[in-house]
Amino acid sequence: METAHNAADTEFAQMMIVHHEGAIEMADLAVEKADSEDVRSLAEGISAAQGPEIEEMTSWLEAWGEETSPMGGMEGMDHGGMEMEGMSQEEAMQHLEGLSGTEFDRSFLEMMIAHHQGAVTMAQTELEEGENPQALELAEKIIADQEAEISEMEQMLAAL
């Protein structure tokens, strides 16, 4: 494992861990509540893909001797400045918990698209500013995976 890294690599890993945790929280709720089998299946896939990535990034941060969570905690950071439809992660979860049926599916897809777009932006910043080979490789994977899921979710939304 390559331990050479810079501040951009550290921030990418710290922020992406928090970002992925938010996506998993939303996805797990969708597995419980989604009306559509397609939405449920997509949510299971998101959760399954992002869990191992969190473990991978956590192991890098430990190997690099860096904190595994962003300095000063996440208060005021809101998932790396990530807002979905103008809502914080907490507000988004409360909003989704209050919905059911097609309304839930539509709102979940819209928010997850926005959430994924945030991850793509974070990964693009890593490609521009990072130096660690594993972090750069994961950033490329995140962009490819999340852009594919965004187009899948846009198709699902159009079909609702």
Side-chain angles (χ1 to χ4, degrees):
M1 161 148 184
E2 177 64 56
T3 55
H5 66 287
N6 63 16
D9 296 317
T10 301
E11 186 175 326
F12 168 71
Q14 290 172 339
M15 300 306 280
M16 194 60 79
I17 288 169
V18 174
H19 198 267
H20 274 17
E21 286 168 348
I24 290 171
E25 186 183 17
M26 287 168 59
D28 289 349
L29 184 65
V31 170
E32 281 172 44
K33 293 192 65 154
D35 192 47
S36 147
E37 195 50 52
D38 286 347
V39 172
R40 189 174 297 114
S41 168
L42 171 89
E44 286 169 352
I46 289 170
S47 207
Q50 296 195 9
E53 289 178 359
I54 290 173
E55 289 170 25
E56 183 180 11
M57 291 182 285
T58 301
S59 73
W60 298 342
L61 289 165
E62 288 167 353
W64 298 343
E66 301 285 354
E67 294 289 327
T68 54
S69 58
M71 296 308 282
M74 284 311 292
E75 303 77 40
M77 294 296 300
D78 188 44
H79 290 250
M82 180 60 235
E83 289 219 338
M84 294 152 289
E85 310 285 305
M87 284 183 254
S88 69
Q89 177 72 22
E90 197 176 322
E91 290 165 339
M93 288 301 293
Q94 287 171 344
H95 175 74
L96 288 171
E97 283 166 7
L99 300 176
S100 60
T102 307
E103 244 187 300
F104 174 87
D105 290 4
R106 178 175 290 113
S107 206
F108 168 76
L109 290 168
E110 288 167 354
M111 288 181 180
M112 192 58 86
I113 288 168
H115 201 268
H116 273 30
Q117 287 165 336
V120 168
T121 301
M122 289 162 64
Q124 286 166 334
T125 300
E126 169 61 15
L127 291 179
E128 290 162 18
E129 300 173 8
E131 68 178 25
N132 180 273
Q134 285 100 344
L136 293 168
E137 193 179 318
L138 181 62
E140 287 178 4
K141 179 182 185 301
I142 286 171
I143 291 169
D145 291 353
Q146 303 226 347
E147 285 181 343
E149 286 173 358
I150 288 169
S151 68
E152 187 183 347
M153 289 186 284
E154 285 170 342
Q155 289 168 347
M156 287 183 194
L157 258 181
L160 284 180

